[in-house]
Structures are given as structure tokens and as C-alpha cells.
Amino acid sequence: MKLMRYGPKGKEKPGMLDGDGWVRDLSQVVPDLTAALLAPDQLAQLRRLDATTLPVVTEVGRIAPPYAGIGKFICVGLNYADHAAEAGVPAPSEPVLFLKASSAVIGCSDPIVLPRNSVKADWEVELGVVIGSTARYVSESEALQYVAGYCVSNDLSEREYQLERGGQWDKGKGCDTFGPIGPWLVTADEIPDPQNLDLWLEVNGRRFQSGNTRTMIFSVAQLISYISCFMTLYPGDFISTGTPPGVGMAQKPAPIYLHPGDQLRLGITGLGQQQQNVHTWDAALIDD
């Protein structure tokens, strides 16, 4: 089941993709797709719907983040051995965790707005994991039972803020618009093996990242189990699981960073594609 939200900011409607790729209007069934609807029993009710009985959305317009009420936005750093190598650091012995601000979250094609004085904005295609059940000290063998679904995630970063501004990654990771999610939330039953998904990212038509989740150092199940030992995970919490090699910071002979006018395209097998245009600082693009 592919769930989504569409429409202008503040006026989003819930939707579902049918088997032919048509967006169906869910607003007569639920007022919105929220974290509370990610619980297994709620998703089971939606799954029983006959999508062909729902109205077709003829003009989708903006594709919004796929659910409202995203809670914690937890990210994993250096989770692909080849990405750690290109960053010039040893592969971690335990997952590296940091948080993005919830205000970073945008839809899959919303504009990326560079923060003021940004000089080293970078890209990272990642598998996003959406929690559907409260998880606390869960075992690795049971961890995937707590997943509502998966999304494409772009963990944008301002590398100068992240690495050269006095410590802590969060200040370079949590900038406004630095957390595009979607286009859909694909429920876990459609992704039987999250460790065999191709990821890719292009900037201005040039392919920079190509990878597969099988090369993660720590699997999705390991990450959920590990994170749940440090904080309770609630429905709607989002985990961005790390990026394969090919980030701008690591390009040779010199790094390549994002500039106004650049266009990003990225995607993951079965989870859809994102496309974003990069803009200079403009509050109007953030606070419609």
C-alpha cells in the first residue's frame, strides 16, 4: 500500500495510489494521514479498502510529506563502509546517531532553500524507516515488526556548519528544508527485504550516488533495536538510515556543493523518486 498526502501547505489531503498508479482521494475515509494511523490495526483497516471505489485525483499538484505529525527525526551517520572510507574515517563499531529538526521536513519536490551564508551544502539519498508501534528495548529479531513503512529520504547537509562550526552535526543537518521525505509511505508488507534496495541520486543530470542497502554496516533491524535502547520510538518517528558513497564533499579532485539553480533527482527501488530545485535563502519558500 502506497500512502501519500497532496495539496498546498496547510491544506493537505490524504491519498492512496491504486494498482495502476492513480492517486485516490482518502479524505472521505480519514481526514488526514497522521502518526496515529500508522499503528498496525489502523493500517489494516486502510488495506481492506477497495481503492477503485475512491475518487480519482485528477490534479495532484504539490506532493506533501506522506504523513503529518512526524515525531523524532533520527539519522544514522557513516552507515555504509564505502561512504565512511570516502569520508576518511574508520567504519563505526556502533551506529552514529544524530537528530534533524522536525522543521527540516518538506515534501519530495518542495524547494530546497540554502541557509544564509551556506557554502558547502551537500546531498545524501537514504532509506527512511517509519515507526508504526511503540518500540522500547526491542530485539533485532523482532525489530521489523515495529515498522509501518519506508520512504525515500534526502539527508541534506551544510558541511561547514556540520564540521567546522564548533562540534555537533545537528546544526548542519537540521536546517529548514533539509529533510525531504516521500513521495509515498510504502507499507512494510510491500518491502519484504529492506536490505536489498537500490538507491541513486543525480545532480543536474549527473549520477553521483549508486548503491544498495545490502552494503549497510548496520541493518534496519539492527538500527531499530539499537536506537530503542537509548530512546523510546513512537508511531510517526522517522529513521534515516545512512547514505552510500558519492556525496559532494568526497568528490575528486575537489568537492562539489549545491548552488542556487541546481536540480536533484533521487530514488529508491519501489519507493518512488524525488526531485528538488535549490534556491537561495527566501523565507517565502519556507513559510507559505
Side-chain angles (χ1 to χ4, degrees):
M1 185 167 57
K2 294 180 175 67
L3 301 173
M4 61 180 293
R5 295 163 71 242
Y6 61 95
K9 291 182 181 179
K11 298 181 180 180
E12 293 90 345
K13 291 185 176 182
M16 171 190 291
L17 259 66
D18 66 19
D20 295 320
W22 290 98
V23 176
R24 299 283 180 160
D25 183 0
L26 271 175
S27 61
Q28 296 178 4
V29 180
V30 293
D32 200 358
L33 291 171
T34 65
L37 289 176
L38 301 177
D41 59 334
Q42 297 295 311
L43 289 179
Q45 290 186 38
L46 292 178
R47 197 173 288 113
R48 287 193 288 268
L49 292 173
D50 180 357
T52 62
T53 66
L54 302 172
V56 173
V57 180
T58 56
E59 295 186 13
V60 174
R62 171 180 176 260
I63 299 178
Y67 64 99
I70 292 173
K72 296 187 286 293
F73 196 138
I74 305 157
C75 298
V76 183
L78 303 172
N79 195 32
Y80 289 70
D82 35 11
H83 173 51
E86 74 173 358
V89 297
S93 58
E94 294 189 36
V96 175
L97 304 181
F98 60 93
L99 298 174
K100 275 188 185 285
S102 59
S103 53
V105 175
I106 57 173
C108 66
S109 297
D110 286 340
I112 293 170
V113 182
L114 299 180
R116 288 176 177 171
N117 305 315
S118 172
V119 293
K120 296 183 179 179
D122 204 348
W123 57 81
E124 296 186 9
V125 59
E126 306 198 358
L127 173 64
V129 179
V130 181
I131 298 298
S133 302
T134 300
R136 182 182 294 121
Y137 293 106
V138 302
S139 67
E140 182 181 335
S141 62
E142 297 178 337
L144 294 184
Q145 299 175 23
Y146 295 82
V147 176
Y150 301 93
C151 297
V152 181
S153 174
N154 188 355
D155 174 21
L156 289 146
S157 313
E158 214 304 336
R159 300 300 189 187
E160 183 188 48
Y161 295 7
Q162 177 190 357
L163 302 172
E164 303 172 33
R165 296 289 295 273
Q168 297 299 324
W169 287 13
D170 295 16
K171 68 183 73 171
K173 294 284 193 172
C175 303
D176 293 344
T177 77
F178 272 27
I181 294 174
W184 318 307
L185 185 157
V186 181
T187 52
D189 58 295
E190 292 200 9
I191 307 294
D193 183 8
Q195 301 309 142
N196 188 26
L197 301 173
D198 291 325
L199 309 84
W200 58 271
L201 181 144
E202 297 174 353
V203 181
N204 300 329
R206 175 182 170 187
R207 181 69 58 97
F208 281 94
Q209 290 189 277
S210 294
N212 188 285
T213 55
R214 74 170 67 93
T215 64
M216 284 182 179
I217 299 170
F218 305 103
S219 69
V220 171
Q222 289 174 312
L223 291 174
I224 293 170
S225 176
Y226 182 86
I227 294 168
S228 75
C229 295
F230 296 93
M231 63 191 83
T232 301
L233 295 171
Y234 293 104
D237 285 351
F238 187 87
I239 303 172
S240 203
T241 57
T243 198
V247 299
M249 176 178 65
Q251 297 304 308
K252 306 296 183 185
I256 299 174
Y257 295 115
L258 294 172
H259 299 91
D262 287 344
Q263 184 180 86
L264 288 86
R265 291 182 64 249
L266 56 149
I268 301 178
T269 304
L271 302 183
Q273 298 184 18
Q274 298 186 359
Q275 180 171 304
Q276 297 114 22
N277 294 320
V278 180
H279 296 256
T280 190
W281 171 256
D282 185 345
L285 294 174
I286 299 171
D287 302 321
D288 280 356

